[in-house]
């Protein structure tokens, strides 16, 4: 499988459990609900830009109003702690064909994007703390990375 989603992998006719592509987000379950919502929304925007083929076609309802397309893969939101997020991120970066999008803690406190980038440039490894992580890729490697985590409700 290549680093992008192949046309043959796009299966809007199957249940999400039966498709080859899996999309998950892992967030720090100790965060306040608003911070979790912000982290997942920001990571979803980054995934949508990197993998626009994950969005299905839009459709019209019975009244003729149009509804934009949503991800045909679905997206599970899982809970973990920051140590688990860091560990999963490190392992995911070694796997081929996985899209890894992270949400460093400083991304939610910076008010100027250029300052966020400068902050990142000055840190690395253990100096970074993550609020969340998003993975998109083949089902088996994603499942092996996040299989022990619980679904966030």
């Amino acid at each position: 499988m290549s680093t992008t989603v192949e046309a043959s992998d796009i299966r809007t006719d199957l249940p999400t459990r039966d498709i080859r592509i899996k999309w998950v987000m892992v967030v720090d379950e100790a965060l306040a609900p608003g911070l979790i919502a912000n982290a997942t929304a920001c990571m979803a925007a980054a995934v949508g830009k990197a993998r626009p083929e994950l969005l299905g076609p839009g459709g019209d309802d019975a009244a003729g109003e149009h509804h934009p397309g949503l991800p045909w893969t679905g997206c599970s939101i899982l809970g973990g702690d920051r140590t688990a997020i860091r560990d999963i991120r490190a392992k995911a970066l070694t796997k081929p064909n996985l899209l890894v999008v992270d949400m460093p803690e400083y991304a939610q406190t910076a008010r100027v994007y250029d300052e966020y980038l400068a902050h990142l440039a000055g840190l690395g490894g253990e100096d970074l703390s993550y609020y969340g992580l998003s993975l998109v890729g083949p089902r088996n490697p994603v499942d092996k990375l996040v299989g022990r985590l619980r679904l966030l409700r």
Side-chain angles (χ1 to χ4, degrees):
M1 172 182 253
S2 72
T3 57
T4 60
V5 176
E6 301 294 329
S8 61
D9 290 327
I10 299 174
R11 296 297 308 268
T12 60
D13 61 323
L14 294 176
T16 56
R17 291 179 189 254
D18 293 341
I19 58 177
R20 291 184 32 182
I21 304 299
K22 185 163 186 167
W23 179 9
V24 300
M25 291 189 195
V26 181
V27 294
D28 180 352
E29 58 193 348
L31 293 174
L35 293 176
I36 290 174
N38 178 272
T40 57
C42 290
M43 290 188 297
V47 168
K49 180 175 183 178
R51 297 288 185 274
E53 65 275 14
L54 294 181
L55 295 178
D60 295 339
D61 64 23
E65 293 181 17
H66 187 73
H67 301 269
L70 297 170
W72 52 269
T73 58
C75 180
S76 298
I77 311 296
L78 309 172
D81 61 28
R82 291 191 199 186
T83 300
I85 293 168
R86 180 192 312 279
D87 292 347
I88 292 166
R89 180 183 181 277
K91 290 174 187 171
L93 291 174
T94 69
K95 305 290 182 193
N97 305 321
L98 286 186
L99 172 63
V100 179
V101 173
D102 57 47
M103 182 69 167
E105 178 180 1
Y106 190 73
Q108 285 193 343
T109 59
R111 297 289 179 239
V112 177
Y113 195 76
D114 286 349
E115 290 176 9
Y116 160 68
L117 294 177
H119 184 80
L120 278 180
L123 298 175
E126 294 297 316
D127 296 329
L128 286 169
S129 179
Y130 299 96
Y131 278 2
L133 173 71
S134 184
L135 303 174
V136 179
R139 178 171 296 283
N140 288 343
V142 172
D143 281 342
K144 286 179 183 176
L145 289 167
V146 301
R148 71 186 195 293
L149 300 176
R150 68 177 190 85
L151 190 62
L152 200 63
R153 296 189 185 267

